[in-house]
Amino acid sequence: MGEKVKLQQGDLLLVVDVQNDFLPGGTLAVPHGDEVVPVLNTYLNLFSVNHLPVYASRDWHPANHCSFKEQGGLWPPHCVQHSPGAGFAEALQLPSQVVIISKAANQAEDAYSVFQGTGLSELMKAAGITRLFVGGLATDYCVLATVMDALAAGFQVNLLTDAIRAVELQYGDGERAKQEMAEQGAKLIELSELSV
Ligand code: VGL
Ligand code: ZN
């Protein structure tokens, strides 16, 4: 294990799509998706005690979204706006000051990246953010797309490998996604590597 990562001003915790439909029992359950929740709660606590900002994204589809199978898309209906399945995991302890980012809300367009169509990178830069800590669901879709966009936008990225899980439509997608993010410059870390 190398140097510890110390939290500092300019850091932001980005929790990606930890929503009921992506948890066991949900319409698009990510295997072991629920396991990210207690780990994210620990990260959330560390960011809170350090007075650092937390953003949480949510997949936020209209009922006839183009990514749904009956519209010719890849997925069962999931995260329909205002439905219980679109709600954040019950046990996830988001702070009251959390900034919620809704994405993929247009019927005709899917968006895996939290940055796509949200104006988020400008918002973050205006807030003085330089480094992101990213966890959530799913490793091989929204986490991957979000991290790649964050790196392209010039943010440093720490990928929280103990707080992500993959869909794995194809076996190995999760590992390949992590490798792709690392090759692009993301640092792969876990809780034990964070010093506060
Ligand atoms: C996601 C599939 C479809 C994700 C969203 O949040 O990773 N995956 N919509
Ligand atoms: Zn979706």
Side-chain angles (χ1 to χ4, degrees), residues 44-85:
L44 284 162
N45 185 253
L46 291 173
F47 274 71
S48 282
V49 300
N50 283 279
H51 307 288
L52 293 169
V54 175
Y55 286 20
S57 70
R58 60 184 182 187
D59 217 23
W60 196 243
H61 298 315
N64 59 347
H65 191 248
C66 63
S67 76
F68 297 171
K69 276 178 180 152
E70 58 264 44
Q71 309 290 326
L74 195 56
W75 308 109
H78 62 279
C79 300
V80 171
Q81 294 169 11
H82 307 290
S83 72

Side-chain angles (χ1 to χ4, degrees), residues 88-134:
F88 291 114
E90 227 63 62
L92 186 67
Q93 290 161 6
L94 294 174
S96 54
Q97 314 93 307
V98 65
V99 174
I100 294 173
I101 308 294
S102 302
K103 67 176 172 62
N106 296 331
Q107 190 279 331
E109 187 186 10
D110 204 8
Y112 291 139
S113 168
V114 176
F115 293 94
Q116 191 177 330
T118 59
L120 186 58
S121 63
E122 291 74 19
L123 191 71
M124 285 178 177
K125 283 176 183 171
I129 302 305
T130 54
R131 191 167 67 163
L132 308 184
F133 291 72
V134 182

